[in-house]
Structure formats: structure tokens, C-alpha cells
């Protein structure tokens, strides 16, 4: 697995979870303290979040950080 695939899989997990919760990118960005453009870049697999951002995203998405990672890994299968 290469980093681009991992970033894309992780971004898709974030996007799916956000949509499931009925949040816009702007609402998610406000909840996790990051700019909307940054959230968009993560969802599109263009940026990889730091460990701190991972935790903040998970909290805003009401899910454990490890679960976000597990789902991304599962998506690579």
C-alpha cells in the first residue's frame, strides 16, 4: 500500500462519516478547529492529517481515531 492510496482511503472514510452525520465540510471544519479547505483536501486524499488533527476529526465525527484508521485500512482491502 502506498501513501497516496492510504490518504485517499482515509479521506473517503472521513467523507462518508461526515455525510452520515449530516454535516457539511464547513460544520466539520468548525467542530475540529481546521479550515474548510483543509478538510476538503483530506477528504480528497490530497493531505494527510497529523495525529492531533486525526484526534480532532474523530472527536468531531463521534468516532474513535482507531476506528477511522481501521475503516480506511479495510477500504484498501
Amino acid at each position: 500500500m502506498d501513501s497516496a492510496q492510504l490518504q485517499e482511503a482515509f479521506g473517503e472514510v472521513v467523507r462518508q462519516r461526515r455525510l452520515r452525520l449530516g454535516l457539511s465540510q464547513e460544520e466539520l471544519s468548525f467542530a475540529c478547529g481546521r479550515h474548510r479547505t483543509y478538510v476538503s483536501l483530506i477528504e480528497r486524499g490530497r493531505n494527510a492529517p497529523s495525529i492531533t488533527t486525526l484526534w480532532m476529526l474523530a472527536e468531531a465525527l463521534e468516532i474513535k481515531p482507531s476506528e477511522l484508521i481501521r475503516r480506511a485500512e479495510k477500504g484498501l482491502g
Side-chain angles (χ1 to χ4, degrees):
M1 131 182 57
D2 69 20
S3 63
Q5 289 175 312
L6 181 56
Q7 283 177 211
E8 287 177 19
F10 182 80
E12 182 60 23
V13 168
V14 169
R15 186 182 74 78
Q16 288 177 5
R17 182 67 182 183
R18 174 181 62 77
L19 293 174
R20 183 168 184 218
L21 293 174
L23 297 172
S24 67
Q25 283 183 344
E26 187 172 13
E27 290 168 325
L28 176 57
S29 68
F30 181 77
C32 71
R34 296 294 184 256
H35 195 275
R36 189 203 55 80
T37 303
Y38 185 65
V39 170
S40 174
L41 290 170
I42 289 172
E43 287 188 2
R44 291 184 290 136
R46 304 283 190 226
N47 272 356
S50 67
I51 192 78
T52 302
T53 299
L54 170 64
W55 246 258
M56 295 169 84
L57 280 169
E59 186 174 290
L61 293 170
E62 302 171 4
I63 193 170
K64 292 180 179 182
S66 59
E67 183 62 16
L68 283 176
I69 294 169
R70 187 191 68 75
R71 290 181 185 189
E73 184 179 39
K74 186 177 177 183
L76 291 173

